Amino acid sequence: MDADRRRDAASQAPEVLHPAQRPLPSRRGVRRSGPPPRRGAAVPEPRPEVGRPSRRTIGPQVAALRERLRRLRPQRPPGTPPPSTRARLRTVLRWALIAQTVPLVLVLLFTLVNPPYTMFRLWNFGPTVAQWTDAEHVSRNFLVVVMGQEDQQFPERMLAVDYGMQWARVQAYLDGTDDPSGSTITQQTSKNLFLWAGRYPPLEPLRKALEIPPAETMEIVMSKRRILEIYVNVAQFAPRVYGVCAASWYYFGKSSRSLSVDESAQLVGLLPSPLHVERAPGGGMRFLGDANGNGVADPGERGWISAKGYWHARERAPRWYAQMGGLAATEGIGIAGDASDLPAADDPCREPPAALADLD
């Protein structure tokens, strides 16, 4: 009898679950604080936590993305051993060869066709302004000052790279010291066309190595006139302004055919650091971070490096012009006469690029 009662009591007792088997309590309708709700009043729904998306929402999306990436990878048949180290090395070399072949083919194409866009502009991740103009319609003052600051040996240089100086630059980078020299005009043209902007210090050695093969190809297949023409049309002069034509209209409100020596120096001085400068309200340059309002960025302010190059070029431009031999420097690379000798109606830069209005 007592045994039967004990069995009945055990069957009616609630089942004790292990903590891992217990269901999680629902948070719906749980009252955290405050008085109890009035009879007939609706129980408010709990607020979702802001900034923490539900796992149920993200989980399937992540799984679908992983599955899509898995399908993109080449699948090995079952039982096939993984590729050897030699096979992987061959694959890497094959892709490296392709990566170098494409710029070399484009160099051959750009001897005849103007580059429609550049990788340098693509790295800007935003709208940019540029207007192509032929070298004959660019002020000779500007062309001479560009060569004077960037590469005075450009007219006589046989190779794109001075390898002795290049090794010194590598040593300076490894030692953490200042760069003893800059890139040649041909190297800079190669970088602007096919590579990224030099704003990622850990990748600088790789970028400088990748720019050499296309640069040397340019020196072989292009004339000096063509290399300089491409350079002045793809160089950056403001955060979103590329090419001497757009820069001349942006800063001075006129065509690049009539730039003076001093105006040319102002533009050329921006080439090393064009990111912290903008057009001043009345024309000319205004450097960012002018805290004291003196119109010139002082040491420690954001536009200091840009302003330093600006004043450096304005001070030394007359000496560069004389060292290069004036107009003889452009005549030596096949650009004779002066831009003002040509009809203004033929100037591709006779009107400002329409996209400049969007920068105001």
Side-chain angles (χ1 to χ4, degrees):
M1 186 74 176
D2 294 338
D4 294 338
R5 289 179 179 176
R6 285 194 297 269
R7 283 195 300 269
D8 294 339
S11 63
Q12 295 176 3
E15 182 181 2
V16 178
L17 298 178
H18 188 275
Q21 297 175 333
R22 293 175 185 171
L24 296 175
S26 174
R27 306 183 78 174
R28 183 181 296 274
V30 175
R31 180 169 56 86
R32 296 182 180 273
S33 62
R38 292 177 298 176
R39 179 177 293 181
V43 178
E45 292 288 338
R47 293 183 179 180
E49 296 185 21
V50 179
R52 297 183 62 183
S54 172
R55 292 184 179 180
R56 295 181 180 180
T57 304
I58 295 180
Q61 298 178 359
V62 173
L65 180 60
R66 287 178 178 174
E67 178 64 18
R68 193 173 303 171
L69 294 175
R70 187 187 66 81
R71 292 179 180 178
L72 291 176
R73 294 197 301 264
Q75 301 296 318
R76 297 195 307 270
T80 305
S84 63
T85 303
R86 181 175 297 180
R88 292 177 180 174
L89 181 59
R90 284 199 300 267
T91 301
V92 171
L93 293 177
R94 186 182 304 116
W95 282 108
L97 180 61
I98 293 174
Q100 285 295 307
T101 301
V102 171
L104 298 182
V105 173
L106 290 176
V107 166
L108 297 175
L109 179 64
F110 291 157
T111 58
L112 303 173
V113 180
N114 297 332
Y117 222 80
T118 67
M119 285 297 298
F120 206 78
R121 288 175 63 190
L122 286 175
W123 277 92
N124 207 312
F125 298 109
T128 58
V129 182
Q131 173 65 50
W132 186 275
T133 184
D134 300 332
E136 285 75 15
H137 292 279
V138 178
S139 168
R140 304 303 184 266
N141 296 325
F142 179 81
L143 297 179
V144 174
V145 173
V146 161
M147 290 188 288
Q149 171 171 287
E150 300 297 307
D151 188 2
Q152 294 192 9
Q153 303 300 319
F154 176 74
E156 296 83 20
R157 191 183 302 279
M158 299 299 296
L159 297 175
V161 180
D162 184 336
Y163 289 95
M165 188 60 68
Q166 193 74 9
W167 177 247
R169 298 178 69 189
V170 172
Q171 291 294 328
Y173 177 83
L174 296 176
D175 297 339
T177 58
D178 293 336
D179 191 342
S181 66
S183 300
T184 64
I185 285 179
T186 313
Q187 283 180 274
Q188 295 181 55
T189 306
S190 173
K191 174 195 67 177
N192 291 350
L193 287 175
F194 307 118
L195 299 172
W196 60 89
R199 298 156 199 160
Y200 310 97
L203 298 179
E204 279 294 284
L206 175 62
R207 182 181 64 80
K208 292 185 181 300
L210 291 176
E211 73 187 19
I212 292 177
E216 295 294 6
T217 306
M218 288 183 196
E219 289 287 355
I220 295 173
V221 302
M222 288 185 181
S223 65
K224 295 290 185 179
R225 173 205 169 279
R226 181 59 173 170
I227 295 173
L228 185 62
E229 180 179 63
I230 293 177
Y231 176 67
V232 300
N233 277 283
V234 302
Q236 186 179 19
F237 292 91
R240 300 198 180 278
V241 178
Y242 294 79
V244 62
C245 175
S248 181
W249 280 107
Y250 181 64
Y251 290 115
F252 305 120
K254 63 180 181 180
S255 168
S256 57
R257 69 188 305 224
S258 57
L259 290 170
S260 66
V261 173
D262 185 63
E263 291 169 337
S264 300
Q266 294 180 54
L267 292 179
V268 170
L270 302 179
L271 291 175
S273 179
L275 297 181
H276 299 128
V277 61
E278 60 184 7
R279 176 177 51 199
M285 288 84 171
R286 180 174 65 183
F287 301 97
L288 305 184
D290 182 17
N292 54 19
N294 63 354
V296 179
D298 296 319
E301 295 181 337
R302 193 151 53 111
W304 162 243
I305 297 179
S306 299
K308 183 179 179 181
Y310 166 88
W311 289 111
H312 175 86
R314 293 191 71 178
E315 178 184 355
R316 303 193 180 189
R319 189 179 69 189
W320 292 335
Y321 197 90
Q323 289 175 345
M324 297 299 298
L327 296 181
T330 59
E331 293 175 356
I333 60 174
I335 308 176
D338 193 79
S340 59
D341 299 335
L342 302 176
D346 297 339
D347 182 11
C349 190
R350 61 183 177 274
E351 295 181 358
L356 279 179
D358 300 332
L359 300 182
D360 294 333

